[in-house]
Amino acid sequence: MTFRRYVALGDSFTEGLGDHDASLPNAVRGWADRVAEVLAHDDFTYANLAIRGRKLLPILAEQVEPALAMKPDLVSIYAGANDVLRPRINIDGLVAAYDVAIGRLVDAGAHAVIFTAYDPGGSQVFGALRGRFAIYNELVRQVAERHGATLVDFWRLRDYRDDRLWDVDRMHLSSAGHQRMAIAVLDALGVRHDLAPLELGDRLVLSVKERRTANVEWATSHAGPWVKRRLTGASSGDDISPRWPTPTPIVRR
């Protein structure tokens, strides 16, 4: 399968947080860049409009029209996880809006790639919301079926239970996690590639005391600021611009 123009939409997942690279815009790389590098050929261009912290409706309001103007033949969109984490949510209403947006992108000639959200069942912090995520994911699967979109079922990628696929903030994928997601996307699209999982370091084995200390440090450095932003209405993406706002040729690494 060959594509001419790929536009990636979404939040921090697609922006690439956790895959640190100071040489790139916003100092991150991410799975979408990695996919674009595999898809690249002489006439190929790539744009990434994703902004960290964005919820589903702002993603649709801010990113769909610019994406349509670029006339892509491939779009990916990951949205909704930031909404599901909020105290109150109308899942049916959100996915209905999502459905309309996917329909517009597909009707304009783009092949869509969409994602379910990760299964938080093993998380002490987010595990209580597992039922919400399951409902949201089932509705997203229906959207994919309705529009003939490629579905990357993150919920079923059980290797992400490995902490080494997550960054130190425990909320975003590590470089290895982004590489694994790029492989999942390319495989779902049926694109031949030679990407291989990144080598993982040894698992960190902590004593009960060491794990308790690590959890306190994580709560102070990452969970606390995350909660504060939600309470104050701030977003980590308030002063962030899209990494690749216009279609850009990609050089394979």
Side-chain angles (χ1 to χ4, degrees), residues 152-200:
V152 180
D153 206 337
F154 195 4
W155 178 276
R156 297 179 182 177
L157 297 180
R158 293 302 174 185
D159 40 346
Y160 278 96
R161 294 292 177 91
D162 189 327
D163 291 344
R164 294 171 294 179
L165 295 182
W166 296 87
D167 197 25
V168 293
D169 66 3
R170 306 182 188 177
M171 300 177 191
H172 299 103
L173 305 182
S174 65
S175 294
H178 280 281
Q179 178 83 347
R180 172 69 182 90
M181 188 57 63
I183 292 169
V185 171
L186 292 166
D187 288 348
L189 283 170
V191 173
R192 295 181 62 182
H193 64 86
D194 58 3
L195 290 190
L198 299 185
E199 184 175 347
L200 300 176

Side-chain angles (χ1 to χ4, degrees), residues 19-29 243 253:
D19 190 10
H20 309 284
D21 189 328
S23 70
L24 293 172
N26 297 0
V28 295
R29 187 181 179 194
R243 298 183 56 242
R253 293 198 174 201

Side-chain angles (χ1 to χ4, degrees), residues 17-95:
L17 262 66
D19 190 10
H20 309 284
D21 189 328
S23 70
L24 293 172
N26 297 0
V28 295
R29 187 181 179 194
W31 65 263
D33 279 26
R34 294 166 184 267
V35 166
E37 290 161 14
V38 171
L39 298 177
H41 53 81
D42 289 345
D43 296 322
F44 177 84
T45 55
Y46 162 62
N48 188 324
L49 307 181
I51 296 287
R52 65 193 70 178
R54 286 296 192 268
K55 294 189 287 185
L56 190 148
L57 293 181
I59 288 171
L60 302 184
E62 298 168 9
Q63 299 177 23
V64 170
E65 290 297 337
L68 288 168
M70 296 178 200
K71 302 186 185 317
D73 53 5
L74 176 66
V75 295
S76 65
I77 180 168
Y78 181 96
N82 287 325
D83 299 84
V84 177
L85 293 171
R86 294 309 195 271
R88 296 182 180 179
I89 178 177
N90 177 359
I91 296 178
D92 293 285
L94 286 174
V95 178

